[in-house]
Amino acid sequence: MLLTRASEYALLSLDAILKNENLVGSEQLAKELHISKSFLAKILQNLTRAGILTSHRGAQGGYTLSKDTAEITIYDVINAAEGKKVAVFDCLSQTCPNGTVGTCSISPFLARFQFKIDNYLKNITLKELFNE
């Protein structure tokens, strides 16, 4: 599966933000989660652009969720964190190693598999994941 640490760090960051009663800054999150501050900042920017987080500027600034946890799916978080639609296999993206996107003999199976994975992720919310 083409999920990277960006997805993992995004979910861990959202959990930490939810558990904190105050605004949480990227520096605090990076220290708390033992993640590179610059890498985490990019992830948080992607989550903000996707409307998952709201960024509050200033000395006491930080991040909060933009929506209720029941409205944010794991699918949304992963795609925002990765900066693109995540494909289970390389060949489902435009970077098919054989240059045969959608035309090889296993493409129908892989497309159905991707569809099931996407639907599964679309049906799990942060509320469910974090048992809120």
Side-chain angles (χ1 to χ4, degrees):
M1 185 175 281
L2 299 179
L3 298 179
T4 68
R5 288 185 189 248
S7 294
E8 177 187 352
Y9 292 166
L11 291 168
L12 289 171
S13 297
L14 292 172
D15 187 36
I17 290 168
L18 281 168
K19 288 178 179 172
N20 201 311
E21 294 178 13
N22 302 313
L23 294 175
V24 184
S26 58
E27 192 167 323
Q28 178 185 345
L29 279 172
K31 284 181 185 174
E32 196 174 302
L33 300 172
H34 308 287
I35 300 171
S36 158
K37 183 181 171 189
S38 60
F39 184 48
L40 182 60
K42 289 177 187 176
I43 295 167
L44 296 174
Q45 286 173 348
N46 286 346
L47 293 174
T48 301
R49 276 190 218 112
I52 294 169
L53 290 177
T54 300
S55 173
H56 303 272
R57 297 184 185 265
Q60 302 299 315
Y63 293 91
T64 57
L65 285 180
S66 297
K67 307 174 196 174
D68 187 82
T69 55
E71 298 175 37
I72 303 170
T73 68
I74 303 307
Y75 180 85
D76 298 332
V77 174
I78 289 171
N79 283 309
E82 299 293 338
K84 62 182 181 198
K85 185 179 179 321
V86 177
V88 177
F89 298 98
D90 280 329
C91 58
L92 292 177
S93 67
Q94 296 304 315
T95 60
C96 176
N98 298 323
T100 59
V101 176
T103 60
C104 74
S105 61
I106 63 169
S107 286
F109 163 76
L110 296 178
R112 286 191 309 272
F113 186 63
Q114 181 71 51
F115 180 78
K116 288 182 180 197
I117 296 290
D118 289 348
N119 280 336
Y120 179 73
L121 296 173
K122 287 176 183 178
N123 285 300
I124 302 172
T125 64
L126 292 184
K127 181 175 182 147
E128 293 170 277
L129 180 65
F130 299 132
N131 296 314
E132 288 203 315

